[in-house]
Amino acid sequence: MSAAAARWRARPHTAAEGVHYLVARSEDVLGTLPVAAPDRAAAADLPPWRAAEYTAARTLLRALLRETGDDLRGGPVAARPGGRPYLPDRPDLGVSLSHSSGWVAAAVGTGRDVGIDVQAPSPVSDRLLRFCCSPEDAEALAALPEAVRRREFAWIFTVQEACVKAVGAGFAARPWSVPVALGQRAGAWDRVHWSAPRAGRPLPVGCAWTERRVFRQVGGGGGDGP
């Protein structure tokens, strides 16, 4: 382990048995941890901003795997055609990545599919509130001060995104249809369970996982962050 990796102080959050995730600033990840050669090579032709979020997310995932005892040791982090990440050398592990406004998140599930989403609060229209929330919650959110409304809606949408990532379907699964109530911190959607605890979280983040791993062929899809 390098001296920089030894200084890494982030500790994984545990969402469920065998399900862990990390959230960090991209600049902190890239300023502290070495980028693996396969990730650096894969990002070589990307625009600088995209290369930074791409390498930061994968570097955070590798740090998470080291913390949970599943060090990839330079092995590849690949992506399916729809963008969903997977580990060719570790088909027993489900992984997920996310990025938003200089932050990255990574999740891993042992024997499970997982989804992670991080969102920096941003302006939200009344139409989007009605589209993603129950009528009662949309009305309550619309009445909140702007900053509070942005943050509360971001908590809802991170869960919706994480859930559809967990099933590998992306927007095809209509994330806005996942029922998440204002202020809700844990729940279930079909065969997916999710958690969005707020204590110690620098910005809204949701983590979702399946009861059991559903193995898919490489051709499977579902967008999943960087």
Side-chain angles (χ1 to χ4, degrees):
M1 179 183 295
S2 69
R7 292 195 301 270
W8 180 251
R9 288 292 180 264
R11 291 295 177 264
H13 303 290
T14 299
E17 183 180 359
V19 179
H20 310 283
Y21 65 96
L22 275 173
V23 184
R25 289 186 182 275
S26 295
E27 61 182 10
D28 292 339
V29 174
L30 296 178
T32 305
L33 300 173
V35 176
D39 301 336
R40 190 178 300 280
D45 295 328
L46 298 176
W49 64 269
R50 177 65 179 132
E53 65 186 18
Y54 180 99
T55 53
R58 281 159 173 75
T59 300
L60 186 66
L61 174 61
R62 292 178 187 277
L64 173 60
L65 291 166
R66 284 194 297 271
E67 292 287 344
T68 57
D70 292 301
D71 194 344
L72 285 183
R73 300 186 183 280
V77 179
R80 304 191 190 284
R84 182 179 176 87
Y86 72 102
L87 307 178
D89 296 341
R90 292 298 306 272
D92 57 311
L93 299 178
V95 296
S96 183
L97 303 170
S98 182
H99 59 84
S100 178
S101 301
W103 289 82
V104 287
V108 60
T110 303
R112 307 170 187 258
D113 288 318
V114 293
I116 190 76
D117 195 67
V118 62
Q119 295 278 343
S122 61
V124 54
S125 67
D126 289 343
R127 180 176 181 274
L128 189 58
L129 290 179
R130 293 192 299 271
F131 196 56
C132 296
C133 306
S134 69
E136 296 79 12
D137 284 349
E139 183 177 356
L141 283 163
L144 292 173
E146 176 68 18
V148 180
R149 178 168 62 251
R150 292 183 184 187
R151 188 171 182 86
E152 290 302 319
F153 178 77
W155 276 108
I156 290 172
F157 200 66
T158 57
V159 171
Q160 294 175 327
E161 279 279 281
C163 285
V164 298
K165 286 182 176 183
V167 299
F171 268 76
R174 303 172 68 244
W176 51 87
S177 68
V178 178
V180 182
L182 179 62
Q184 189 177 358
R185 287 165 168 75
W189 171 65
D190 194 15
R191 62 184 179 87
V192 175
H193 294 264
W194 61 264
S195 175
R198 303 192 179 198
R201 305 308 188 267
L203 75 172
V205 57
C207 183
W209 61 94
T210 57
E211 279 295 325
R212 61 181 182 83
R213 183 69 183 273
V214 178
F215 290 94
R216 299 180 178 86
Q217 295 180 350
V218 173
D224 201 12

